Amino acid sequence: MARTVFGNIRMRHGFPTRRKKQRRDTLPLKVEKAGVVEDIEIPVGRHPAVTPIVFFEPCGILSGLVGPERPVLVRLLANEGVAPSDLGGDAIHVDVKPCVAELRRFLAKIAHCFTVLNLGLDGFSPWLVPLILRGEGDADALIGSDAVAPLEGARPDRSNVHQMLLRIYSTKTHGDVCVVHIGLFCNWFADGSADRMPSYHVVVGAATQRSWDRLQTPLFYPVLSQREIERGSYMLSDPLDMPT
């Protein structure tokens, strides 16, 4: 995911990498001139670094929605960069790969590890291991994104590029469940912006008494992690207009 989906945008903004020697100075781009498409290389600083941003429906366990696989919306996020006229062309073409299944598995790994960080290996009953190891499981039931604006008091601090939040929700069908909210690139846009990023949520497993006990202990990494210990129910409000 970091290389295939987010690679261009990470290079464009100079995100940290363990492979500095492999980081390129140019990125590929397709320019159309009089109906002919030509492959060229553009300096990283001028490349639009188009990135597919995937929006899911709320997951089945939290929303109570069941049935066939629900729609997935993909929005393309582009940075200011070179224009077709700068290249003597009529249009620019960029290849993107949403990788929906890989994204869900990626989110599952992040959420599972974050829960272990906060609760320990024995602090909850995990449900994501088959999805993480073998790509198996009902991803629609376990992983989704919020179609509503987060409550003001529940919005994570945006001092970091990415944010995570661990909560316990009471559900009608699965009892108390541990849920991790993940905001990727969540501080890129102002609150209420039409260009907001999705807030993903992942049901990592069943909450136990040990989960409640450990949620009330001091945080391991207060800057990195945020948690809420109040018992709550997941509620869907009026949906916002979903980007297309």
Side-chain angles (χ1 to χ4, degrees), residues 111-121 124 220:
H112 179 83
C113 291
F114 185 66
T115 306
V116 171
L117 168 71
N118 282 278
L119 304 181
L121 283 168
F124 65 109
F220 293 107

Side-chain angles (χ1 to χ4, degrees), residues 115-127 166-169 176-179 204-220 227-231:
T115 306
V116 171
L117 168 71
N118 282 278
L119 304 181
L121 283 168
D122 59 348
F124 65 109
S125 179
W127 293 345
L166 174 61
R167 289 175 172 164
I168 293 179
Y169 289 118
D176 290 349
V177 295
C178 296
V179 178
V204 296
T208 65
Q209 184 58 48
R210 190 169 290 171
S211 306
W212 289 103
D213 293 341
R214 291 186 178 172
L215 276 176
Q216 300 179 65
T217 62
L219 299 177
F220 293 107
R227 304 180 301 191
E228 291 190 356
I229 63 174
E230 294 84 4
R231 182 184 296 267

Side-chain angles (χ1 to χ4, degrees), residues 36 105 222:
V36 178
R105 201 168 179 182

Side-chain angles (χ1 to χ4, degrees), residues 19-77:
R19 301 177 177 85
K20 293 182 180 180
K21 294 182 179 179
Q22 298 180 21
R23 181 152 280 183
R24 303 172 54 176
D25 296 324
T26 63
L27 291 172
L29 197 66
K30 298 179 185 293
V31 58
E32 181 177 342
K33 301 178 181 179
V36 178
V37 177
E38 176 185 356
D39 292 318
I40 61 174
E41 293 283 328
I42 293 293
V44 170
R46 301 183 65 203
H47 197 280
V50 177
T51 303
I53 305 300
V54 178
F55 290 78
F56 299 117
E57 293 286 327
C59 74
I61 289 178
L62 295 184
S63 67
L65 301 175
V66 296
E69 185 171 331
R70 292 183 292 281
V72 173
L73 302 179
V74 179
R75 183 181 186 189
L76 299 183
L77 173 66

Side-chain angles (χ1 to χ4, degrees), residues 6 11 14 18 34 42 56 61 69 71 73 97 100 108 110 123 125 138 214 233 244:
F6 299 122
M11 283 187 275
R18 291 178 294 177
I42 293 293
F56 299 117
I61 289 178
E69 185 171 331
L73 302 179
K97 186 178 182 182
V100 173
I110 293 174
S125 179
D138 188 351
R214 291 186 178 172
S233 298
T244 57

